[in-house]
Amino acid sequence: MTTTTKTPALSGIHNVRDLGGHPLAGGGSTRYGAFLRGDALRGLDSDGLRALLDSGLRTIVDLRSHAEVADGPNPLAGHSDIAYHHIPLYDGLATIEAMAEAHPNGFDMGLRYRAAMDSCQPALAEALGLLAQAGEGTALFHCTAGKDRTGVIAALLLGHAGVGAEAVVADYAMTASYGAGLIDVLRQKALARGTDPDRAERVLASRPETMQATLIWLDQTYGGATSYMQRIGVSSGDCDALRARLAG
């Protein structure tokens, strides 16, 4: 069973957790302190900031759009002890609304993940390269809710390190509990904008079958996480560094 007990206790934010503790196919488990996945840290208070720094956080890769960053800058961007990078991962990707309209009876977020892995490859390669080249300490990657863009990167990192599909799916699905408070806030905002309730639930859900289908597609289309990384231009050195950082 995957555990996240090594994640620092953070007040004011919801969905930050360590990629450590996941079982590896060859035995052992992924290392704690290598990568944190998370939400946008917008509610981070001074105690939370200190906990992150004390835990060893030294690199942040922010996957949000330019508009999202302008609306809510990362509170650690510009901090003297943090190397902050902004990679708008989904730039150029069709909107959720457009995708939902194109698939009125069968839209779920897995369609968006697969579209992103097909059409946002330069940004994905850049983000993975930055994580591979991060210096000493922990590297955090995040989007707004810590579910979708963050979930794609986490799935690739875990799969590449040798974590099996079942554990990757479980990690993705944990947003339903860890991020419940934030997801509820986003749900209320979506409904206030007039979003159809069923569509809002599909967009905000982190159902296991969504990631299961995505991993099957990744295997069938690209040969799995490692082959995908190589195909999109992540160097062999960076691939080695990512595996070593997470799998030891």
Side-chain angles (χ1 to χ4, degrees), residues 122-140:
L124 279 160
E126 185 176 5
L128 290 164
L130 287 168
L131 292 171
Q133 297 159 26
E136 294 293 323
T138 302
L140 164 69

mmCIF file of all heavy atoms in Angstrom, residues 122-140:
data_model
loop_
_atom_site.group_PDB
_atom_site.id
_atom_site.type_symbol
_atom_site.label_atom_id
_atom_site.label_comp_id
_atom_site.label_asym_id
_atom_site.label_seq_id
_atom_site.Cartn_x
_atom_site.Cartn_y
_atom_site.Cartn_z
ATOM 1 N N PRO A 122 6.818 19.171 -26.538
ATOM 2 C CA PRO A 122 7.963 20.015 -26.185
ATOM 3 C C PRO A 122 7.909 20.520 -24.744
ATOM 4 O O PRO A 122 8.938 20.522 -24.049
ATOM 5 C CB PRO A 122 7.874 21.169 -27.193
ATOM 6 C CG PRO A 122 7.167 20.570 -28.374
ATOM 7 C CD PRO A 122 6.155 19.648 -27.791
ATOM 8 N N ALA A 123 6.727 20.926 -24.290
ATOM 9 C CA ALA A 123 6.599 21.411 -22.910
ATOM 10 C C ALA A 123 6.799 20.280 -21.914
ATOM 11 O O ALA A 123 7.436 20.457 -20.860
ATOM 12 C CB ALA A 123 5.238 22.071 -22.707
ATOM 13 N N LEU A 124 6.267 19.105 -22.220
ATOM 14 C CA LEU A 124 6.472 17.958 -21.341
ATOM 15 C C LEU A 124 7.951 17.603 -21.243
ATOM 16 O O LEU A 124 8.475 17.344 -20.156
ATOM 17 C CB LEU A 124 5.663 16.766 -21.848
ATOM 18 C CG LEU A 124 4.182 16.751 -21.470
ATOM 19 C CD1 LEU A 124 3.394 15.837 -22.398
ATOM 20 C CD2 LEU A 124 4.008 16.313 -20.024
ATOM 21 N N ALA A 125 8.635 17.605 -22.378
ATOM 22 C CA ALA A 125 10.067 17.298 -22.374
ATOM 23 C C ALA A 125 10.844 18.344 -21.573
ATOM 24 O O ALA A 125 11.774 18.003 -20.820
ATOM 25 C CB ALA A 125 10.597 17.222 -23.800
ATOM 26 N N GLU A 126 10.465 19.608 -21.710
ATOM 27 C CA GLU A 126 11.159 20.660 -20.963
ATOM 28 C C GLU A 126 10.945 20.500 -19.465
ATOM 29 O O GLU A 126 11.892 20.629 -18.667
ATOM 30 C CB GLU A 126 10.678 22.037 -21.424
ATOM 31 C CG GLU A 126 11.433 23.183 -20.778
ATOM 32 C CD GLU A 126 11.016 24.546 -21.303
ATOM 33 O OE1 GLU A 126 10.068 24.620 -22.113
ATOM 34 O OE2 GLU A 126 11.645 25.544 -20.886
ATOM 35 N N ALA A 127 9.701 20.228 -19.062
ATOM 36 C CA ALA A 127 9.408 20.059 -17.633
ATOM 37 C C ALA A 127 10.173 18.869 -17.062
ATOM 38 O O ALA A 127 10.764 18.952 -15.972
ATOM 39 C CB ALA A 127 7.906 19.886 -17.426
ATOM 40 N N LEU A 128 10.175 17.753 -17.776
ATOM 41 C CA LEU A 128 10.890 16.575 -17.301
ATOM 42 C C LEU A 128 12.398 16.828 -17.244
ATOM 43 O O LEU A 128 13.084 16.373 -16.321
ATOM 44 C CB LEU A 128 10.573 15.379 -18.198
ATOM 45 C CG LEU A 128 9.139 14.847 -18.085
ATOM 46 C CD1 LEU A 128 8.813 13.941 -19.267
ATOM 47 C CD2 LEU A 128 8.924 14.111 -16.772
ATOM 48 N N GLY A 129 12.902 17.567 -18.224
ATOM 49 C CA GLY A 129 14.322 17.903 -18.205
ATOM 50 C C GLY A 129 14.700 18.753 -17.005
ATOM 51 O O GLY A 129 15.748 18.539 -16.377
ATOM 52 N N LEU A 130 13.853 19.711 -16.656
ATOM 53 C CA LEU A 130 14.123 20.547 -15.487
ATOM 54 C C LEU A 130 14.106 19.726 -14.203
ATOM 55 O O LEU A 130 14.928 19.942 -13.303
ATOM 56 C CB LEU A 130 13.087 21.675 -15.400
ATOM 57 C CG LEU A 130 13.238 22.788 -16.430
ATOM 58 C CD1 LEU A 130 12.006 23.685 -16.438
ATOM 59 C CD2 LEU A 130 14.497 23.621 -16.140
ATOM 60 N N LEU A 131 13.188 18.785 -14.109
ATOM 61 C CA LEU A 131 13.137 17.926 -12.927
ATOM 62 C C LEU A 131 14.374 17.025 -12.864
ATOM 63 O O LEU A 131 14.920 16.776 -11.789
ATOM 64 C CB LEU A 131 11.863 17.089 -12.940
ATOM 65 C CG LEU A 131 10.562 17.867 -12.738
ATOM 66 C CD1 LEU A 131 9.350 16.972 -12.987
ATOM 67 C CD2 LEU A 131 10.495 18.471 -11.334
ATOM 68 N N ALA A 132 14.831 16.552 -14.016
ATOM 69 C CA ALA A 132 16.024 15.713 -14.051
ATOM 70 C C ALA A 132 17.264 16.495 -13.633
ATOM 71 O O ALA A 132 18.171 15.950 -12.995
ATOM 72 C CB ALA A 132 16.223 15.145 -15.455
ATOM 73 N N GLN A 133 17.323 17.759 -14.001
ATOM 74 C CA GLN A 133 18.501 18.583 -13.764
ATOM 75 C C GLN A 133 18.437 19.382 -12.471
ATOM 76 O O GLN A 133 19.333 20.192 -12.193
ATOM 77 C CB GLN A 133 18.691 19.525 -14.950
ATOM 78 C CG GLN A 133 18.968 18.801 -16.261
ATOM 79 C CD GLN A 133 18.666 19.647 -17.481
ATOM 80 O OE1 GLN A 133 18.703 20.875 -17.430
ATOM 81 N NE2 GLN A 133 18.339 18.988 -18.589
ATOM 82 N N ALA A 134 17.377 19.156 -11.679
ATOM 83 C CA ALA A 134 17.270 19.861 -10.400
ATOM 84 C C ALA A 134 18.463 19.522 -9.520
ATOM 85 O O ALA A 134 18.976 18.403 -9.535
ATOM 86 C CB ALA A 134 15.973 19.468 -9.703
ATOM 87 N N GLY A 135 18.902 20.496 -8.759
ATOM 88 C CA GLY A 135 20.050 20.278 -7.888
ATOM 89 C C GLY A 135 19.688 19.497 -6.636
ATOM 90 O O GLY A 135 18.690 18.776 -6.584
ATOM 91 N N GLU A 136 20.484 19.655 -5.620
ATOM 92 C CA GLU A 136 20.237 18.976 -4.351
ATOM 93 C C GLU A 136 18.898 19.409 -3.774
ATOM 94 O O GLU A 136 18.430 20.517 -3.997
ATOM 95 C CB GLU A 136 21.353 19.300 -3.355
ATOM 96 C CG GLU A 136 22.712 18.755 -3.743
ATOM 97 C CD GLU A 136 22.755 17.238 -3.698
ATOM 98 O OE1 GLU A 136 22.130 16.653 -2.793
ATOM 99 O OE2 GLU A 136 23.408 16.649 -4.580
ATOM 100 N N GLY A 137 18.301 18.515 -3.012
ATOM 101 C CA GLY A 137 17.031 18.830 -2.361
ATOM 102 C C GLY A 137 15.847 18.286 -3.139
ATOM 103 O O GLY A 137 15.993 17.557 -4.125
ATOM 104 N N THR A 138 14.663 18.655 -2.674
ATOM 105 C CA THR A 138 13.409 18.161 -3.241
ATOM 106 C C THR A 138 12.930 19.072 -4.354
ATOM 107 O O THR A 138 13.073 20.291 -4.280
ATOM 108 C CB THR A 138 12.331 18.089 -2.146
ATOM 109 O OG1 THR A 138 12.794 17.237 -1.099
ATOM 110 C CG2 THR A 138 11.018 17.556 -2.682
ATOM 111 N N ALA A 139 12.353 18.473 -5.394
ATOM 112 C CA ALA A 139 11.748 19.228 -6.496
ATOM 113 C C ALA A 139 10.232 19.047 -6.447
ATOM 114 O O ALA A 139 9.740 17.920 -6.365
ATOM 115 C CB ALA A 139 12.285 18.752 -7.839
ATOM 116 N N LEU A 140 9.508 20.137 -6.477
ATOM 117 C CA LEU A 140 8.047 20.142 -6.486
ATOM 118 C C LEU A 140 7.557 20.536 -7.866
ATOM 119 O O LEU A 140 8.018 21.526 -8.443
ATOM 120 C CB LEU A 140 7.521 21.149 -5.459
ATOM 121 C CG LEU A 140 6.049 21.571 -5.562
ATOM 122 C CD1 LEU A 140 5.116 20.431 -5.198
ATOM 123 C CD2 LEU A 140 5.775 22.790 -4.678
#
